[in-house]
PDB file of all heavy atoms in Angstrom:
ATOM      1  N   GLU A  31      -9.208  13.864  11.536  1.00 97.00           N
ATOM      2  CA  GLU A  31      -8.331  14.631  12.416  1.00 97.00           C
ATOM      3  C   GLU A  31      -7.117  15.160  11.660  1.00 97.00           C
ATOM      4  O   GLU A  31      -6.692  16.298  11.849  1.00 97.00           O
ATOM      5  CB  GLU A  31      -7.878  13.767  13.605  1.00 97.00           C
ATOM      6  CG  GLU A  31      -8.994  13.368  14.583  1.00 97.00           C
ATOM      7  CD  GLU A  31      -9.917  12.279  14.022  1.00 97.00           C
ATOM      8  OE1 GLU A  31      -9.466  11.506  13.123  1.00 97.00           O
ATOM      9  OE2 GLU A  31     -11.082  12.216  14.446  1.00 97.00           O
ATOM     10  N   GLU A  32      -6.561  14.312  10.810  1.00 98.00           N
ATOM     11  CA  GLU A  32      -5.361  14.734   9.998  1.00 98.00           C
ATOM     12  C   GLU A  32      -5.787  15.817   9.017  1.00 98.00           C
ATOM     13  O   GLU A  32      -5.033  16.765   8.797  1.00 98.00           O
ATOM     14  CB  GLU A  32      -4.780  13.523   9.290  1.00 98.00           C
ATOM     15  CG  GLU A  32      -4.108  12.538  10.226  1.00 98.00           C
ATOM     16  CD  GLU A  32      -3.746  11.221   9.589  1.00 98.00           C
ATOM     17  OE1 GLU A  32      -4.516  10.710   8.743  1.00 98.00           O
ATOM     18  OE2 GLU A  32      -2.710  10.659   9.944  1.00 98.00           O
ATOM     19  N   ILE A  33      -6.950  15.668   8.441  1.00 98.00           N
ATOM     20  CA  ILE A  33      -7.432  16.676   7.468  1.00 98.00           C
ATOM     21  C   ILE A  33      -7.596  18.018   8.190  1.00 98.00           C
ATOM     22  O   ILE A  33      -7.187  19.070   7.695  1.00 98.00           O
ATOM     23  CB  ILE A  33      -8.775  16.227   6.841  1.00 98.00           C
ATOM     24  CG1 ILE A  33      -8.562  15.018   5.934  1.00 98.00           C
ATOM     25  CG2 ILE A  33      -9.404  17.384   6.057  1.00 98.00           C
ATOM     26  CD1 ILE A  33      -9.850  14.371   5.443  1.00 98.00           C
ATOM     27  N   ALA A  34      -8.192  17.976   9.387  1.00 98.00           N
ATOM     28  CA  ALA A  34      -8.455  19.208  10.140  1.00 98.00           C
ATOM     29  C   ALA A  34      -7.142  19.938  10.456  1.00 98.00           C
ATOM     30  O   ALA A  34      -7.066  21.163  10.399  1.00 98.00           O
ATOM     31  CB  ALA A  34      -9.194  18.868  11.457  1.00 98.00           C
ATOM     32  N   LYS A  35      -6.077  19.165  10.767  1.00 98.00           N
ATOM     33  CA  LYS A  35      -4.759  19.751  11.002  1.00 98.00           C
ATOM     34  C   LYS A  35      -4.228  20.453   9.761  1.00 98.00           C
ATOM     35  O   LYS A  35      -3.720  21.578   9.815  1.00 98.00           O
ATOM     36  CB  LYS A  35      -3.798  18.612  11.417  1.00 98.00           C
ATOM     37  CG  LYS A  35      -2.954  18.956  12.639  1.00 98.00           C
ATOM     38  CD  LYS A  35      -2.253  17.737  13.129  1.00 98.00           C
ATOM     39  CE  LYS A  35      -0.766  17.945  13.034  1.00 98.00           C
ATOM     40  NZ  LYS A  35      -0.008  16.731  13.333  1.00 98.00           N
ATOM     41  N   ASP A  36      -4.389  19.789   8.601  1.00 98.00           N
ATOM     42  CA  ASP A  36      -3.887  20.364   7.340  1.00 98.00           C
ATOM     43  C   ASP A  36      -4.648  21.675   7.049  1.00 98.00           C
ATOM     44  O   ASP A  36      -4.075  22.671   6.624  1.00 98.00           O
ATOM     45  CB  ASP A  36      -4.123  19.389   6.170  1.00 98.00           C
ATOM     46  CG  ASP A  36      -3.179  18.183   6.269  1.00 98.00           C
ATOM     47  OD1 ASP A  36      -2.140  18.275   6.930  1.00 98.00           O
ATOM     48  OD2 ASP A  36      -3.516  17.152   5.659  1.00 98.00           O
ATOM     49  N   VAL A  37      -5.954  21.628   7.213  1.00 98.00           N
ATOM     50  CA  VAL A  37      -6.795  22.778   6.918  1.00 98.00           C
ATOM     51  C   VAL A  37      -6.405  23.957   7.801  1.00 98.00           C
ATOM     52  O   VAL A  37      -6.301  25.113   7.317  1.00 98.00           O
ATOM     53  CB  VAL A  37      -8.310  22.440   7.076  1.00 98.00           C
ATOM     54  CG1 VAL A  37      -9.185  23.679   6.937  1.00 98.00           C
ATOM     55  CG2 VAL A  37      -8.738  21.377   6.089  1.00 98.00           C
ATOM     56  N   LYS A  38      -6.157  23.656   9.051  1.00 98.00           N
ATOM     57  CA  LYS A  38      -5.800  24.703  10.002  1.00 98.00           C
ATOM     58  C   LYS A  38      -4.506  25.398   9.616  1.00 98.00           C
ATOM     59  O   LYS A  38      -4.376  26.619   9.661  1.00 98.00           O
ATOM     60  CB  LYS A  38      -5.669  24.046  11.415  1.00 98.00           C
ATOM     61  CG  LYS A  38      -5.940  25.003  12.552  1.00 98.00           C
ATOM     62  CD  LYS A  38      -5.965  24.200  13.855  1.00 98.00           C
ATOM     63  CE  LYS A  38      -5.488  25.153  14.943  1.00 98.00           C
ATOM     64  NZ  LYS A  38      -5.197  24.487  16.190  1.00 98.00           N
ATOM     65  N   GLN A  39      -3.568  24.568   9.173  1.00 98.00           N
ATOM     66  CA  GLN A  39      -2.258  25.102   8.785  1.00 98.00           C
ATOM     67  C   GLN A  39      -2.402  25.984   7.529  1.00 98.00           C
ATOM     68  O   GLN A  39      -1.827  27.087   7.443  1.00 98.00           O
ATOM     69  CB  GLN A  39      -1.294  23.921   8.565  1.00 98.00           C
ATOM     70  CG  GLN A  39      -0.023  24.235   7.782  1.00 98.00           C
ATOM     71  CD  GLN A  39      -0.112  23.658   6.367  1.00 98.00           C
ATOM     72  OE1 GLN A  39      -0.546  22.535   6.128  1.00 98.00           O
ATOM     73  NE2 GLN A  39       0.294  24.476   5.386  1.00 98.00           N
ATOM     74  N   VAL A  40      -3.165  25.520   6.530  1.00 98.00           N
ATOM     75  CA  VAL A  40      -3.385  26.338   5.310  1.00 98.00           C
ATOM     76  C   VAL A  40      -4.097  27.645   5.669  1.00 98.00           C
ATOM     77  O   VAL A  40      -3.716  28.740   5.212  1.00 98.00           O
ATOM     78  CB  VAL A  40      -4.193  25.527   4.257  1.00 98.00           C
ATOM     79  CG1 VAL A  40      -4.601  26.434   3.110  1.00 98.00           C
ATOM     80  CG2 VAL A  40      -3.386  24.350   3.736  1.00 98.00           C
ATOM     81  N   ALA A  41      -5.109  27.534   6.505  1.00 98.00           N
ATOM     82  CA  ALA A  41      -5.869  28.761   6.899  1.00 98.00           C
ATOM     83  C   ALA A  41      -4.982  29.754   7.634  1.00 98.00           C
ATOM     84  O   ALA A  41      -5.109  30.968   7.398  1.00 98.00           O
ATOM     85  CB  ALA A  41      -7.052  28.341   7.779  1.00 98.00           C
ATOM     86  N   ALA A  42      -4.097  29.271   8.488  1.00 98.00           N
ATOM     87  CA  ALA A  42      -3.225  30.180   9.245  1.00 98.00           C
ATOM     88  C   ALA A  42      -2.294  30.910   8.281  1.00 98.00           C
ATOM     89  O   ALA A  42      -2.048  32.116   8.423  1.00 98.00           O
ATOM     90  CB  ALA A  42      -2.422  29.371  10.256  1.00 98.00           C
TER      91      ALA A  42
END
Side-chain angles (χ1 to χ4, degrees):
E31 294 74 25
E32 290 168 323
I33 292 170
K35 226 169 117 188
D36 290 339
V37 172
K38 208 172 149 191
Q39 164 255 314
V40 170

